[in-house]
Each structure stands twice: as C-alpha cells, then as structure tokens.
Amino acid sequence: MLRSLVVAEKCWSFRSFMQGRNLMKVASQQAPIAWMASRRHYSPAIHIHRSVPNESGTMAEVKQGMMKRLGLEPGYNPQPKSREHLLKYQPKLEDLPPRAMEDSFTSAIIPLSTDRTLQDKYVSYQGNVRMGRLLEDMDLFAAWCCHKHLKLPNLPEGVHLPYTFVTILVDRIDFTDLLADGTQDIRLSGHVSWVGTSSIEVVVWLEQIVGGKYEKLTRALFLMAARNATNTGAAPVNPINPANEEEKEILAGGADRKKRRQTLVAQSIFKVEPNDPEQTLMYELYQRTTPTNTLQLNKRILPPNCQWMANSYQMSTIPSFPEHRNHHNRVFGGFLMRSALEISWAAAFLYCKSRPKLEHISDISFEKPVSVDSFIKMTAYVVYTKKNFVQIMTVADVLDPHSGSQVTTNTFYYTFSCKDNVTEVLPRSYHETMWYIQGRRKFEACRPSK
C-alpha cells in the first residue's frame, strides 16, 4: 500500500544536506514512510503523486475526533468528568491484535488558504508561518496517530476509549530551507513507527504545496506514552506486525533509536564529568578570560568581540490558562514547545542583531506534568556560538506563587543560523562553563553544513 506512494525521498544527514541536490532523481523512487529510517535523515523536497491514504480532514476535525473518542466535551470544568468507569475496559496485552504501520498512516490539513481567521493565528509579520504553531499541531497529530494505531476488539460499542496519551519526548527536528507560506495549506502526515509495551514512537512530517506540488518543511519523531483512562498508570498498546520489508527495516531501527536516546540522557554534562578534550577546552577558556598581570581572585577579562553568557539571555513569565490544556487538564506539551521556541527565536534575533533561521531542534523531554493554573518562566540563554551559528538553551520552570519555589520541567536546545558571524559567547563561572559544554555537544551533534 505504502509502496505505491512514490515520493521524492532520500536519506541524507544534515551535513550532506546542501551537497545532495544532485541525488534528487534517484531519491524520487523512495516511499514516504522510508523517510524516517534514521533520526537525521530528511530531504529538502518531497514530491507526492498521490493523496496520502486515510485522510483525517482538517486539524480542527482531528481534535474533535479525539475528543469524541475519549468522551470529552467542549468547555472547561475545574473538576473534569470522571473517567474511572473506563478502567474496567482496559485490555490486556495478549488481547490486542498486531497492527501494521500503514494502519496508522494518515494525514490532516491546516487550511490556511481558505480560513482567513486561522491565517491570523499562524502568520508572522513577514507572511511566513510561525513554526511554534506547527509544533503544537505536530504534537496533537502524533497523539492522533496513536489513536489510529489502537484496535480494541473487545471494547463494547458505544464505550469511549479507555486510554490517554502523553508526550514523553520529541526527537531531533531538522528543517529544510523552505519557508512556509502563511496563505497556503499545510499537510501533516505520519504513522506509528515502533512500539514498546506501552510506549509508541510516531514519525510526523510537514509539507506545503509550492508550484503545484508538495514540498517538505520538516520531520520529527515523537515518543508517546499510553496511559489508562485516568492517567494514573501505563496501558498496553497493540504490537506491530510489519506489512512489508520496508516496515520491517523501520521497526528494526526502533530499538537502536531507543538505545541512542538512553545514551544521550546518560551522557548529559549534568550527569557525567567533561571528557578529556572538553577539560582542555575549559582550561583554554580560563586562560582566555583571566588576566596575566594579577592573581586577584575571580578577576576576569572579556576578550574583544565577545560577550558574557550571563548577559546573553531573555526571560518571560507566562500564566497558563484553560485554553492551553490537553485532554487531561494539564498544560499541553505543544504549548510549551511553542512558547519555548518563540522566546528562543527572540533571544537569537536580539543576539545576532538580524533575523535568524531555525536550523535544528534537539531532543525535547517532558520531565513533569504542568498544572493548568501554573506560572511558567521561560528563560532562553545563548550558551554556545560558532561562526554564524547560535546555540540556545531554554529552561522552562514552574513557579509556585505562594512559596516562591520553582521546578524545572523542560529544557530545550535550538540551533539558529545568522547571515553574518556572531559575537562569541563566553562563560564566566564554572556553572556557565558546564552549560557551554552541553551547548557545544548539542551543536556538534547536529553538525550544520554551513
């Protein structure tokens, strides 16, 4: 089924992105589902010759469909309707039939060409689409693909789905050079690509019509958790039985992607000490910023064309409201991603003194749920620079207005490029140096080609 969808696709690393244009003719023989065979692989354009099967309508209809399946009603209630009665319908793993990836393969449209009201929500002042809005939609659409994957043969007719889905993390996101037009429709496509017992990996990609054909904007992998009806425990999901060799290859890579994610977490600078080359770099930073004519304690000097990290950040405190909630009355993960991206973009713009281009988003993890009545502090720090690239680390903290305490719920890493070389950012304290090393690691992992 998926083999019949011939699209222009070729697995390229971000480093070879600009070098691979001459491979487009060869790439046109690959199927869209093969796109996500590797976390770095995507092409600058995609040519679709047929409609994606199982079309789900508009994103508004997708949201309505999810609410209907879950038995939710429009409108906010501080005490949401209980779903405890659905717990008895949660199936056992052995009762769930295997599913193919093509069973969850679907698409939805953001109708910007016909809905002028929607345009106002998505368009930037330059007429392009706000990428933060698209991240929100991708998060919601990933959950919809989970719904499409589920098949509960023993669920009585008329009984609502005894599941909830939460986002655990978003894998690295790379972007093509195409700027999305705020007046043209955008298509989201995706499918489940790997499952554990209760975890689901979903690949989602975005396209927009340019010159009469769909061109690719971006691609991301979402790791979702299946929870029971009351979101108090894990729930099993249907295993995957690949429909063809292509699906077998993608599924086999799921275990490797899981190991890679675990390795990245384990190797965080906040958990293990810097390696030997990094310790050498730390000493070089010390030498560059310490005067040679005095041993005065904590005396530091700023080299020419440099800026201290402590002076290179932007901050915003956001009160959350019910409109930002997900289906179980917590702050929607997509809203956090949009808010973090937009303040990061502002920080990069102000640092570069010119409009930056978003090149890459590193892995995003959701450590703790955020209550819908929270105050959320977003702080975007410039933690690393190289030539015309800026690495931003954005920290999301939930503030307790009564005690004054704060808890970090998310950390985001963004790579932006500027048209000219930027001022070098330097750490002043040991703590900042750890952030500098972590930012450098994230930057090196994405390996921009420019």
Side-chain angles (χ1 to χ4, degrees), residues 21-265:
R21 297 182 184 275
N22 60 331
L23 298 176
M24 282 301 296
K25 291 184 179 179
V26 177
S28 64
Q29 302 303 314
Q30 303 299 318
I33 200 169
W35 177 15
M36 49 70 59
S38 169
R39 66 188 177 95
R40 286 187 183 172
H41 295 175
Y42 73 106
S43 73
I46 184 166
H47 300 177
I48 293 185
H49 302 289
R50 295 188 185 182
S51 297
V52 176
N54 303 320
E55 294 182 352
S56 298
T58 66
M59 282 303 297
E61 291 170 332
V62 165
K63 186 175 182 178
Q64 292 172 0
M66 291 175 64
M67 293 182 66
K68 183 177 180 180
R69 285 171 60 90
L70 295 171
L72 303 177
E73 299 176 354
Y76 173 68
N77 190 333
Q79 296 296 327
K81 184 179 178 181
S82 174
R83 303 184 77 228
E84 290 189 9
H85 64 286
L86 296 175
L87 292 175
K88 63 183 178 182
Y89 296 108
Q90 180 178 312
K92 297 180 179 179
L93 181 60
E94 56 267 25
D95 296 330
L96 298 175
R99 302 280 280 167
M101 294 182 190
E102 62 185 20
D103 294 325
S104 60
F105 189 28
T106 187
S107 69
I109 296 293
I110 305 172
L112 298 178
S113 66
T114 56
D115 192 332
R116 295 297 180 90
T117 302
L118 198 63
Q119 281 184 19
D120 285 343
K121 290 180 61 178
Y122 281 77
V123 72
S124 72
Y125 68 88
Q126 287 195 334
N128 305 123
V129 174
R130 294 165 57 188
M131 188 54 64
R133 288 289 187 190
L134 298 182
L135 291 179
E136 284 186 299
D137 287 327
M138 293 173 77
D139 191 29
L140 181 65
F141 187 77
W144 177 240
C145 290
C146 295
H147 279 251
K148 301 286 286 185
H149 175 77
L150 279 186
K151 185 176 183 180
L152 312 181
N154 298 328
L155 186 66
E157 185 176 355
V159 176
H160 296 119
L161 190 68
Y163 280 76
T164 57
F165 295 99
V166 297
T167 306
I168 301 175
L169 64 84
V170 184
D171 211 331
R172 53 175 292 142
I173 309 174
D174 292 318
F175 299 87
T176 69
D177 283 336
L178 179 64
L179 291 176
D181 188 338
T183 63
Q184 296 297 320
D185 292 351
I186 292 176
R187 180 168 71 180
L188 298 92
S189 301
H191 61 86
V192 170
S193 53
W194 175 86
V195 299
T197 303
S198 61
S199 56
I200 306 176
E201 183 189 75
V202 181
V203 58
V204 178
W205 62 93
L206 298 181
E207 303 155 298
Q208 188 172 61
I209 292 180
V210 179
K213 58 186 179 183
Y214 274 105
E215 300 283 357
K216 194 180 302 177
L217 297 170
T218 186
R219 181 238 63 179
L221 288 170
F222 288 77
L223 188 64
M224 315 292 289
R227 308 281 291 172
N228 61 20
T230 56
N231 194 26
T232 55
V237 297
N238 301 75
I240 288 181
N241 183 18
N244 49 47
E245 292 301 318
E246 187 175 49
E247 291 194 5
K248 287 181 181 178
E249 182 179 354
I250 296 170
L251 183 62
D256 293 335
R257 293 188 291 273
K258 180 180 179 181
K259 289 179 181 178
R260 178 188 60 79
R261 287 190 285 259
Q262 292 173 336
T263 300
L264 287 175
V265 172

Side-chain angles (χ1 to χ4, degrees), residues 312-317 340 343-344 347 376-382 392-397 406 410-412 435:
S312 308
Y313 71 93
Q314 300 296 324
M315 184 181 68
S316 176
T317 300
I343 192 174
S344 300
I376 305 167
K377 184 176 77 170
M378 291 280 185
T379 311
Y381 301 91
V382 177
I392 303 288
M393 181 181 79
T394 299
V395 180
D397 291 309
Q406 64 183 50
N410 305 84
T411 305
F412 308 82
W435 285 10

